[in-house]
Amino acid sequence: MTFSTTLLYHHLLILVILLLHAPPCPAAGGSWSVLLPSIGISAMHMQLLPNDRVVMYDRTDFGISNISLPNGKCRPNSTDCSAHSVEYDVGSNTIRPLMVLTNVWCSSGTLMRDGSLVQTGGWADGYRRVRTYKSCDTCDWAEIPDGLNQQRWYATNHLLPDGRQIIIGGRQAFNYEFYPKMSAAENSPSFPFLVQTNDANVENNLYPFVFLYPDGNLFVFANNRAILFNYAKNQVVKTYPTMPGGQPRNYPSTGSAVLLPMRLNKGNVNVIEVLVCGGAPKGAFVNANNGRFDGALDTCGRIKISDVNPQWVMETMPLARVMGDMLLLPNGHVLIINGASAGVAGWELGRNPVLSPVTYRPDNQMGSRFEVQNPSTKPRVYHSTAGLLRDGRVLIGGSNPHDKYVFTNTLYPTELSLEAFSPSYLDASSSTLRPTIISPKTKTTIRYGKRVAIRFMISGPVDLNSVSVTMVSPSFNTHSFSMNQRLLVLDSGNSTKALGKSNYQVVVTAPPSGNFAPTGNYLLYVVHKEIPSPGIWIRIQ
Ligand SMILES: *[C@@H]1O[C@H](CO)[C@@H](O)[C@H](O)[C@H]1NC(C)=O
Ligand SMILES: *[C@@H]1O[C@H](CO)[C@@H](O)[C@H](O)[C@H]1NC(C)=O
Ligand SMILES: *[C@@H]1O[C@H](CO)[C@@H](O)[C@H](O)[C@H]1NC(C)=O
């Protein structure tokens, strides 16, 4: 072959490779908008509150942020008079600076029954802190110095049916504890599963994926496997198989996970499933530290944890992803958003941001579940966040792979902006299908097991058989995992009926107990043909 024919073959080969690597499904929808170009901090942790405000914070040792504390305040014993936490008001699209006293870096939290955020742990002076935030126009963080028994850095929290939260693990913390404590003597039971899943010098099991199972036990996934755990008796109830391939899925090989929507049927949920997606292959952390950025995992494992003999079923995502967030959308689809396609979580260790979110339809046949969405323009890599808003948009913030604020001369500058991703169900073309809830009023309290009539309007033609009612918990998001995330499809017994022109009613039964939905605040949606209404806040007790 002459040089030029070799070159031609080379070009053809590249063309074939490009065609083979084109996404299997075309970009489908969704749109992006910048809400605020700078909120002054890099949203590393995020929690939606029941007054449609969102608390965010980064860390107190990032240096001077781009927003000052109010009224010339400074942190005690510090020359840093900038804020490292803000409250975002969704309605007015404004922010207000808040003051955290101690380091909240890589911490965790839970929205409590009363609607206050109780955040735990952090680093250094923040290791054993508990901080509470009750929202109001002038409220700020309150700190409890020795609120925790153990140092909690990279722990996972979950709200329990008794109203307390459990705080599991953290770096070198192979145990768990509760907040608030029943007594001063309450200790931190050991949790050997966290020792067993801890890869030497790499970990791969921090920020474990924890879900409350409706029998009251906790499903805990760390590294590449899972157990069902009775935290009250400190007993492993069930051991699930290792995910095929055995690749790590938790920090720093950060993937994500959701408890798939739970469909209530006559006071029970027949099938309970977990979906774990993405992460980084074994060795990726060590390689990334040596400047070699391994391709992220493109697999998801799905398991029916309610089966007698549960098995993982593997699926392939259209895009490989590490540090992706998984969010349950009001219509029961899963959104996979943010992250990178190479490297791992950690300072400067991620490469090749994945700008396109992907949706996953759990009820579709395998092979037709994933759909690539329209891309953002902003890399959201390490320390980025995502959270569902009441109106169905997804709030996106953060991204800072540097241990200070770095805005120039770097691959992925510190991101201070706040964006919204609007899934395609918010397209104006769906407005005639979209329900609007008339009653109950927002902030209504509903009781376990009781029937609730929901009235709604739809302007266009209605398929009465395509109406469902979902309930979504507001989750605490950090490091690609949303703690406390759950979605219940309420039992409506096919009761949807027309009441008059464009007016409809569906009667649903509230979840039977706190094991299904711990007492607290939830978003309620009426969904018609996969198009959700704007949500209303309800309180279940
Ligand atoms: C910091 O905030 C100011 C407005 O207060 C804004 O003009 C500037 O762009 C911000 N800096 C960054 C890096 O976002
Ligand atoms: C500030 O430093 C003093 C002296 O070290 C210490 O007693 C005090 O508790 C510190 N205050 C805070 C809020 O950390
Ligand atoms: C509701 O309708 C669906 C499909 O028509 C049916 O499979 C289901 O059993 C019905 N549920 C109830 C509670 O009647």
Side-chain angles (χ1 to χ4, degrees):
M1 273 194 289
T2 65
F3 177 72
S4 61
T5 52
T6 313
L7 203 64
L8 179 67
Y9 276 110
H10 184 74
H11 280 124
L12 280 173
L13 188 66
I14 287 178
L15 185 67
V16 168
I17 289 173
L18 284 175
L19 286 174
L20 286 175
H21 279 75
C25 24
S31 61
W32 289 85
S33 60
V34 175
L35 300 174
L36 291 169
S38 172
I39 58 165
I41 67 162
S42 190
M44 190 194 293
H45 313 74
M46 182 185 275
Q47 170 75 60
L48 175 68
L49 306 172
N51 58 358
D52 295 315
R53 297 184 189 186
V54 183
V55 174
M56 295 173 246
Y57 58 88
D58 52 20
R59 66 192 283 237
T60 53
D61 55 348
F62 260 156
I64 310 288
S65 77
N66 202 25
I67 183 168
S68 298
L69 286 167
N71 312 322
K73 278 194 255 182
C74 300
R75 270 207 331 277
N77 298 349
S78 169
T79 53
D80 183 355
C81 304
S82 70
H84 292 282
S85 176
V86 300
E87 184 181 49
Y88 171 65
D89 182 341
V90 179
S92 63
N93 195 39
T94 56
I95 50 150
R96 189 170 74 82
L98 303 176
M99 175 149 67
V100 280
L101 297 173
T102 53
N103 208 333
V104 279
W105 180 31
C106 300
S107 60
S108 45
T110 290
L111 190 71
M112 302 298 266
R113 281 182 173 178
D114 64 357
S116 65
L117 171 59
V118 172
Q119 176 278 359
T120 60
W123 191 61
D125 60 354
Y127 272 142
R128 291 182 53 217
R129 291 262 158 159
V130 170
R131 306 169 188 82
T132 61
Y133 180 78
K134 179 106 185 131
S135 182
C136 74
D137 289 343
T138 56
C139 292
D140 214 327
W141 289 97
E143 305 212 0
I144 302 159
D146 295 319
L148 296 177
N149 286 338
Q150 304 288 320
Q151 300 184 349
R152 303 285 172 193
W153 193 33
Y154 298 86
T156 295
N157 301 21
H158 205 293
L159 185 62
L160 298 174
D162 69 1
R164 303 200 295 165
Q165 57 171 307
I166 188 167
I167 304 133
I168 299 178
R171 203 156 234 172
Q172 297 300 312
F174 306 112
N175 50 57
Y176 59 95
E177 64 184 284
F178 304 89
Y179 189 85
K181 306 260 182 286
M182 292 288 200
S183 73
E186 194 175 273
N187 63 2
S188 303
S190 68
F191 196 10
F193 179 66
L194 294 179
V195 178
Q196 292 150 15
T197 52
N198 187 56
D199 287 346
N201 306 320
V202 180
E203 298 165 319
N204 282 334
N205 70 343
L206 295 180
Y207 282 122
F209 306 143
V210 178
F211 301 111
L212 175 64
Y213 189 91
D215 68 358
N217 293 312
L218 293 174
F219 173 89
V220 184
F221 181 102
N223 195 332
N224 54 17
R225 56 211 155 102
I227 55 171
L228 194 62
F229 186 63
N230 182 328
Y231 57 86
K233 294 186 175 158
N234 193 11
Q235 275 171 8
V236 176
V237 177
K238 191 168 193 162
T239 300
Y240 297 96
T242 298
M243 197 189 286
Q247 299 287 18
R249 308 281 177 168
N250 294 84
Y251 183 91
S253 293
T254 303
S256 193
V258 287
L259 180 65
L260 286 174
M262 295 194 291
R263 193 172 296 278
L264 281 155
N265 181 12
K266 299 183 173 66
N268 216 338
V269 177
N270 299 327
V271 179
I272 299 162
E273 294 181 274
V274 166
L275 180 70
V276 178
C277 291
K282 276 182 187 153
F285 179 75
V286 171
N287 287 343
N289 275 291
N290 290 315
R292 295 195 305 277
F293 301 96
D294 293 343
L297 303 179
D298 66 356
T299 52
C300 298
R302 178 166 168 173
I303 189 167
K304 286 194 172 102
I305 58 175
S306 53
D307 265 9
V308 179
N309 180 22
Q311 298 296 325
W312 291 99
V313 176
M314 302 306 288
E315 295 180 66
T316 305
M317 296 188 282
L319 302 167
R321 202 180 298 252
V322 61
M323 298 180 277
D325 285 279
M326 293 172 72
L327 293 183
L328 296 167
L329 297 176
N331 62 1
H333 297 175
V334 181
L335 180 69
I336 309 175
I337 196 163
N338 296 342
S341 65
V344 295
W347 301 133
E348 317 293 342
L349 296 181
R351 288 294 182 278
N352 308 340
V354 183
L355 298 175
S356 296
V358 165
T359 52
Y360 176 91
R361 295 168 185 238
D363 294 337
N364 275 18
Q365 290 297 310
M366 216 169 139
S368 62
R369 290 177 180 155
F370 291 105
E371 195 174 67
V372 178
Q373 304 296 300
N374 288 324
S376 159
T377 55
K378 294 181 191 294
R380 299 282 180 179
V381 289
Y382 188 41
H383 288 153
S384 59
T385 44
L388 177 69
L389 297 176
R390 183 171 59 83
D391 59 18
R393 289 179 301 162
V394 173
L395 187 65
I396 303 290
S399 186
N400 189 9
H402 319 293
D403 75 350
K404 290 282 171 289
Y405 298 105
V406 181
F407 301 110
T408 51
N409 300 321
T410 182
L411 272 179
Y412 313 119
T414 303
E415 209 30 270
L416 304 182
S417 69
L418 212 51
E419 278 181 288
F421 174 69
S422 296
S424 57
Y425 55 61
L426 290 171
D427 290 354
S429 57
S430 298
S431 62
T432 57
L433 296 175
R434 192 185 325 285
T436 305
I437 298 175
I438 303 167
S439 70
K441 293 254 174 298
T442 194
K443 305 232 157 117
T444 295
T445 295
I446 64 176
R447 294 185 187 276
Y448 289 121
K450 291 283 185 297
R451 280 149 63 89
V452 187
I454 296 164
R455 293 191 177 189
F456 57 98
M457 289 179 65
I458 298 176
S459 63
V462 173
D463 177 357
L464 293 178
N465 293 318
S466 297
V467 172
S468 59
V469 178
T470 62
M471 211 176 106
V472 190
S473 58
S475 49
F476 179 95
N477 177 274
T478 191
H479 289 77
S480 310
F481 184 59
S482 289
M483 304 174 193
N484 287 310
Q485 187 173 216
R486 60 209 289 113
L487 184 151
L488 297 155
V489 184
L490 301 183
D491 190 349
S492 65
N494 295 344
S495 63
T496 310
K497 63 176 188 192
L499 295 179
K501 188 176 182 307
S502 307
N503 272 268
Y504 303 88
Q505 174 178 285
V506 57
V507 179
V508 295
T509 307
S513 74
N515 286 354
F516 291 82
T519 293
N521 299 277
Y522 293 81
L523 289 164
L524 184 108
Y525 296 91
V526 173
V527 184
H528 174 228
K529 291 187 160 181
E530 304 192 329
I531 309 295
S533 65
I536 59 167
W537 285 102
I538 53 148
R539 204 186 130 73
I540 183 150
Q541 65 186 44

